[in-house]
Amino acid sequence: MDIMEEPISFYKAQRNHHQATSKAIFKKMGWFSVLRLLVFGVTIFGIYLTFSNWKLAFIIGIVGTGIFLYLLSQYTDLKQSRALHKRLAKLNEEELEIASGNFHQRPDGRQFQDPKHAYSLDIDLFGRGSFFQYINRTAIAEGTQTLVSGLLANDTANIQTRQEAIKELAVMSKWRQRYSGIAQGVEVEHSARSIIKWLRAYQPFLNTTWYWLTIAFCGASVSLIALGIMEIIPIKYAGYWLILGLAITGKFLKQINKVAQITEKAKDTFRQYTLLLEQIENTNFESDLLRQNQEKINSENLKASQIFSKFSKALDALDNRNNLISAIFGNGYLLWDLRQTYHIEQWITKYADKVEDWFEVVTLFDAFNSLGNYAAYESSDGVTWTSLAVPTTEVAQDVVTRHVVVAGDTVWRISRANGVSVSSVVAENNLPRGGALIRIGQTLTMTKRGVVKTVDSPVTLDPSIVISGGSAPEEAPAEAAVPVSDAEDETPAEPADSPDSDSGGEEAGLGEGASESDSEGDAPLPALEPLVSESSTSDVLYTVARGDTLIRIAFRND
């Protein structure tokens, strides 16, 4: 774990580090490009010199191609690593901009505004300059939705559990940034929800017999080609075999194309989630919430990232059909598309019902990273974390439901829909014959006993904010709990009259005798103008519209 002691210094150091690393990797990529070009040239020249001996030329071509592909693979890995460091450098640059107050160009979440929500409009939860715009660091769409759901939930349950998870992520600054950098590295074309829906609805069309047929066909192809090269049989038979393989593949071409069209767009999503699952699996978490979610992806003999990687490789293998040479020779001699489609179908059959749980874990970490980042920045001045206990009171309450009988209703069906027993419905409505006879249009009442939880605010009133005119502040109970809603609307009580106060009904300490230059000793507080003078009082009629709040109405009629 890495504790971010001072955010600005941390962001600058990380930005400089990733920029320097990116430049170093770029130089290394240049050397690999030169080596690839050199191997390609040597291979072509070797084939040219040995062209009369086609067997030797073939071997040179195979070896040269192998070396070239290895160098290409190393170059691709370096390219991906450099791209990650560039994203991390940009991420830290953005954090510096946000820290300076320049964040209004970021997504503001105004699409999540709901006029019917209890508080989202009143506290500027979404919109320009909103809390969401300031804290949001999610990198995937589902993570954003999870963060929004949490902000709108108004759920007091398990507050301490969530707080411990945020507290743990707050000190894992480098881990959070790497997680976001990886998530930003893949542009997905399909949402996780649409992929889950497709996986659950998919019906396989290949069975095990066809898989073993592809294995046997592949072995036969290698044997025919080898016999042709050794001139034991005419090489033309290898050509006939190629045509047979293409014909077999053509029999399933329509179904394979349908699978390929969908998986081609979904493979980026699985590649992204594979890398993110690896990040979660390879980290030791201590908070209960993070550990519980980590266990969801470690319930198999294989790790979830390995399972996703297996599927991602099968999707990439099927995608090779877009290469003309691979499509002809791969399907003609190896029945490549059939075998890869079979692997994809087997994976879907085994893991389709578990993918949603794994996706949810990834999105939860993406959402909580935003909260952890906010907590790290806001508490970087040494503010300690304190537990927020929210006391609740349970009050028994009866809920009465009325139901008008329609055609097809039975007492059993009505009772089940309303969560009560059949006997209680019969007894409460005095139904004849145990409820066997009910009439269409008859109104049935059902009473269900329940418990309603009321939340008591944990906020206590600070005695220093109690104002008393011209004298020592009045003492307020140190432990007095004041509900937030009451504290905002409560009108301060009038203090007792003072011998020094002016006549005419003015409140003590608020008269004209207060001076603005009083010393710190026992000087009275500065004079405050009354909120509403008696001479300007008037009645205002206002028709409440949808989305109105008391604060909004007050501003409109100021």
Side-chain angles (χ1 to χ4, degrees):
M1 293 186 181
D2 49 286
I3 300 177
M4 184 171 60
E5 296 180 354
E6 207 286 309
I8 304 301
S9 300
F10 173 82
Y11 293 141
K12 287 182 178 179
Q14 289 300 302
R15 178 196 60 187
N16 296 339
H17 165 72
H18 292 299
Q19 286 177 345
T21 305
S22 175
K23 292 179 180 179
I25 293 176
F26 183 72
K27 292 181 180 179
K28 189 179 294 186
M29 289 171 59
W31 284 109
F32 272 90
S33 297
V34 172
L35 285 174
R36 278 180 19 239
L37 183 61
L38 182 62
V39 169
F40 178 78
V42 170
T43 301
I44 295 298
F45 186 68
I47 293 175
Y48 173 77
L49 292 178
T50 60
F51 191 74
S52 58
N53 186 351
W54 69 270
K55 295 180 181 178
L56 181 58
F58 180 79
I59 294 174
I60 293 175
I62 292 296
V63 173
T65 302
I67 297 175
F68 181 86
L69 292 176
Y70 170 77
L71 294 174
L72 179 62
S73 174
Q74 294 297 308
Y75 178 87
T76 302
D77 292 342
L78 288 172
K79 184 178 180 181
Q80 292 177 350
S81 178
R82 179 173 181 258
L84 174 60
H85 284 285
K86 290 179 67 176
R87 291 195 298 272
L88 291 173
K90 182 180 178 181
L91 189 151
N92 283 277
E93 188 66 42
E94 291 176 349
E95 290 291 352
L96 289 171
E97 288 289 325
I98 295 171
S100 66
N102 183 19
F103 63 91
H104 295 88
Q105 75 284 358
R106 297 175 64 82
D108 57 15
R110 65 181 62 192
Q111 69 271 26
F112 303 116
Q113 289 179 337
D114 181 9
K116 298 181 179 180
H117 193 266
Y119 56 79
S120 64
L121 292 180
D122 294 336
I123 65 174
D124 292 329
L125 198 57
F126 304 107
R128 178 174 171 79
S130 63
F131 181 69
F132 173 84
Q133 190 176 38
Y134 180 68
I135 73 163
N136 179 34
R137 302 295 189 276
T138 55
I140 54 181
E142 291 78 15
T144 304
Q145 189 59 58
T146 300
L147 175 62
V148 169
S149 299
L151 295 176
L152 294 175
N154 197 23
D155 183 13
T156 60
N158 301 319
I159 285 181
Q160 292 180 339
T161 302
R162 296 197 298 270
Q163 189 183 53
E164 287 300 319
I166 296 170
K167 179 181 178 181
E168 182 173 9
L169 289 174
V171 298
M172 300 173 63
S173 304
K174 293 180 182 178
W175 188 92
R176 290 195 324 269
Q177 289 197 352
R178 184 173 182 82
Y179 191 93
S180 298
I182 291 173
Q184 294 173 2
V186 181
E187 295 183 4
V188 298
E189 297 186 47
H190 281 285
S191 66
R193 186 175 299 277
S194 64
I195 292 174
I196 292 170
K197 183 178 179 180
W198 176 76
L199 290 174
R200 288 179 172 175
Y202 183 79
Q203 296 294 327
F205 63 89
L206 294 174
N207 53 35
T208 308
T209 302
W210 279 105
Y211 171 72
W212 288 111
L213 176 63
T214 62
I215 299 297
F217 194 91
C218 180
S221 298
V222 173
S223 300
L224 279 173
I225 294 173
L227 292 174
I229 292 175
M230 292 185 293
E231 299 181 352
I232 297 177
I233 62 173
I235 195 67
K236 64 180 181 180
Y237 289 114
Y240 297 149
W241 193 254
L242 174 70
I243 296 174
L244 177 61
L246 293 175
I248 295 174
T249 302
K251 174 180 172 61
F252 299 97
L253 186 60
K254 185 176 180 180
Q255 295 97 317
I256 295 173
N257 284 340
K258 187 175 180 180
V259 173
Q261 288 174 359
I262 298 176
T263 56
E264 183 179 4
K265 297 178 180 179
K267 67 178 183 178
D268 290 336
T269 301
F270 278 95
R271 184 182 298 115
Q272 179 192 54
Y273 276 73
T274 298
L275 297 173
L276 296 177
L277 286 168
E278 285 180 352
Q279 286 289 110
I280 299 171
E281 291 168 344
N282 297 332
T283 306
N284 294 322
F285 296 103
E286 297 178 0
S287 61
D288 290 340
L289 181 61
L290 300 185
R291 281 193 295 104
Q292 289 169 5
N293 279 272
Q294 188 181 45
E295 290 171 1
K296 288 182 181 180
I297 61 176
N298 290 333
S299 58
E300 293 284 332
N301 295 330
L302 290 175
K303 293 182 178 180
S305 62
Q306 295 174 325
I307 297 172
F308 266 45
S309 178
K310 194 175 179 180
F311 188 57
S312 183
K313 289 178 180 178
L315 298 181
D316 288 336
L318 182 62
D319 193 48
N320 287 333
R321 66 200 307 269
N322 295 324
N323 184 302
L324 183 60
I325 295 177
S326 298
I328 294 176
F329 292 99
N331 288 311
Y333 288 123
L334 307 175
L335 300 181
W336 184 262
D337 286 359
L338 276 178
R339 186 156 70 253
Q340 300 311 319
T341 302
Y342 174 82
H343 288 316
I344 292 172
E345 291 186 341
Q346 291 300 302
W347 191 96
I348 293 174
T349 302
K350 187 174 182 179
Y351 297 112
D353 293 333
K354 301 177 182 178
V355 170
E356 184 173 10
D357 291 338
W358 296 336
F359 277 16
E360 286 180 355
V361 172
V362 171
T363 57
L364 181 137
F365 274 87
D366 189 45
F368 268 69
N369 271 351
S370 292
L371 301 173
N373 185 77
Y374 175 74
Y377 186 83
E378 292 301 314
S379 62
S380 59
D381 56 357
V383 177
T384 58
W385 286 73
T386 56
S387 299
L388 180 63
V390 182
T392 59
T393 303
E394 294 187 351
V395 179
Q397 184 175 4
D398 292 341
V399 179
V400 179
T401 305
R402 290 181 175 84
H403 177 84
V404 179
V405 179
V406 297
D409 274 348
T410 63
V411 174
W412 178 84
R413 183 176 298 175
I414 296 171
S415 63
R416 178 170 180 152
N418 290 277
V420 296
S421 64
V422 173
S423 59
S424 65
V425 176
V426 173
E428 186 171 350
N429 295 274
N430 297 319
L431 298 179
R433 299 176 58 181
L437 293 177
I438 54 176
R439 302 185 309 275
I440 295 177
Q442 181 180 1
T443 300
L444 303 179
T445 60
M446 289 154 286
T447 303
K448 181 167 62 174
R449 299 192 63 82
V451 175
V452 177
K453 287 187 177 182
T454 60
V455 179
D456 302 324
S457 173
V459 181
T460 57
L461 183 63
D462 188 343
S464 64
I465 69 173
V466 179
I467 298 176
S468 178
S471 60
E474 295 178 1
E475 292 294 328
E479 300 298 326
V482 180
V484 174
S485 59
D486 295 341
E488 291 177 349
D489 298 335
E490 185 176 348
T491 303
E494 294 184 1
D497 292 339
S498 171
D500 298 330
S501 63
D502 295 337
S503 61
E506 287 188 319
E507 293 182 358
L510 301 181
E512 296 178 355
S515 171
E516 295 182 359
S517 59
D518 290 330
S519 61
E520 292 182 357
D522 296 327
L525 294 172
L528 298 177
E529 293 294 331
L531 294 178
V532 179
S533 62
E534 293 183 0
S535 60
S536 62
T537 301
S538 61
D539 294 331
V540 177
L541 297 179
Y542 181 82
T543 302
V544 178
R546 176 177 294 180
D548 277 343
T549 63
L550 290 176
I551 296 176
R552 187 169 297 173
I553 294 171
F555 276 116
R556 288 177 180 172
N557 294 277
D558 187 12

